[in-house]
């Protein structure tokens, strides 16, 4: 798991941020899910490998939605790069969670009756997984199980009978309306949406300076790692003030560095282009001089001009080159 996923997991692990994301994405910002209804869950899930041996899977972020009693397991999987296997991955994540619930219920029965079992009156709580895609390109990959299946000649009836498993996919750059968020999730996702356009990022920060000035260290860390900015990383190390970071100052300094770096790169590129043009011009000039000396059969001078700069200069003037 890379730094981007780790910092994003820590950020989304805050129940206020987690609830804000779900409310904004599925309820148009209405406060249907309250932070106090989200209880932490262990992100490590038991599973079995192909040989049937026990193993484990690590979810990105997982919460128990508790309203008077356990109501659902809510999970978020962060994804920066498209993955063709995502429908099967999520199906296995959810199946492992259902299996965990079955084992937990069986353990309760064993404690009460001495017999571990899952009975006809026992029920599971639903598992709801969201794929939060924050990559640059579009998700032109399978977003449901049927997209991965080859039905062959009997496609029509097989497709009707085979169970499907659709992804609940959210693209940060295409699907999020950040104005529906009520926490600093709005500012973090607003930056991620503008990752490829520094001018748009600057305008967004300038129009939301009050919010960015009081950004938490956790939210700032998501922006730092997703932008891969060493300047911002240095700033966060040097400017920790009570868990909040003045993102406006950090961003202004970063933009100033980007501008200076752009000027430097432009100057270096200009110098290199000038050097290349000068070399090409010198080569053409030398070729013309050698041609003139060859026409006059001055073969000894051809060898001399390669090493004698003063002779070259005199001959350039003589031939008007």
């Amino acid at each position: 798991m890379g730094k981007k996923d780790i910092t994003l997991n820590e950020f989304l692990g805050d129940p206020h941020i987690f609830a804000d994301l779900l409310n904004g994405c599925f309820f148009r910002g209405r406060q249907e899910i309250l932070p106090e209804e989200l209880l932490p869950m262990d992100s490590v899930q038991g599973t079995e490998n192909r040989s049937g041996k026990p193993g484990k899977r690590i979810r990105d972020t997982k919460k128990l939605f508790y309203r008077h009693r356990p109501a659902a397991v809510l999970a978020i999987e962060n994804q920066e790069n498209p993955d063709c296997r995502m429908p099967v991955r999520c199906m296995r994540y959810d199946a492992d969670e259902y299996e965990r619930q079955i084992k937990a219920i069986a353990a309760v029965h064993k404690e009460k009756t001495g017999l571990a079992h899952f009975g006809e009156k026992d029920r599971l709580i639903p598992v709801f997984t969201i794929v939060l895609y924050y990559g640059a390109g579009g998700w032109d990959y399978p977003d449901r199980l049927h997209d991965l299946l080859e039905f062959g000649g009997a496609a029509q009836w097989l497709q009707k009978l085979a169970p499907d498993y659709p992804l609940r996919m959210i693209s940060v750059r295409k699907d999020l309306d950040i104005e529906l968020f009520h926490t600093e999730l709005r500012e973090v996702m607003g930056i991620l949406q503008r990752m490829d356009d520094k001018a748009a990022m600057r305008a967004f920060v300038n129009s939301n300076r009050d919010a960015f000035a009081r950004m938490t260290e956790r939210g700032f860390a998501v922006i730092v790692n997703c932008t891969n900015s060493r300047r911002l990383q240095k700033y966060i190390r040097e400017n920790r003030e009570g868990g909040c970071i003045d993102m406006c100052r950090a961003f202004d300094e970063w933009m100033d560095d980007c501008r200076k770096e752009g000027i430097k790169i432009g100057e270096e590129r200009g110098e290199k282009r000038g050097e290349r043009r000068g070399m090409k011009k010198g080569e053409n000039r030398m070729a013309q001089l050698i041609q003139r000396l060859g026409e006059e059969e001055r073969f000894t001078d051809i060898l001399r001009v390669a090493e004698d700069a003063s002779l070259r200069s005199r001959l350039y003037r003589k031939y008007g080159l």
Side-chain angles (χ1 to χ4, degrees), residues 21-22 24-26 60 75-91 93-94 128-145 147-148 165-177:
L21 178 66
L22 268 63
C25 292
F26 299 104
D60 285 341
I76 298 174
E77 291 299 318
N78 307 320
Q79 197 70 22
E80 182 180 14
N81 301 307
D83 187 346
C84 295
R85 306 165 300 163
M86 210 65 202
V88 173
R89 282 179 56 191
C90 288
M91 184 169 63
Y93 288 147
D94 295 350
F128 186 86
T129 297
I130 300 166
V131 177
L132 186 66
Y133 173 58
Y134 62 97
W139 187 279
D140 299 322
Y141 292 83
D143 59 5
R144 57 193 316 117
L145 180 61
D147 292 341
L148 290 172
Y165 205 88
L167 289 181
R168 299 175 184 90
M169 172 72 63
I170 298 173
S171 171
V172 169
R173 303 196 186 204
K174 294 184 177 180
D175 298 333
L176 290 187
D177 181 356

Side-chain angles (χ1 to χ4, degrees), residues 209-229:
R209 295 190 74 85
D210 288 343
F212 279 108
R214 58 177 184 272
M215 175 164 283
T216 65
E217 187 175 323
R218 186 164 46 195
F220 189 86
V222 175
I223 295 174
V224 168
N225 285 295
C226 288
T227 56
N228 295 314
S229 168

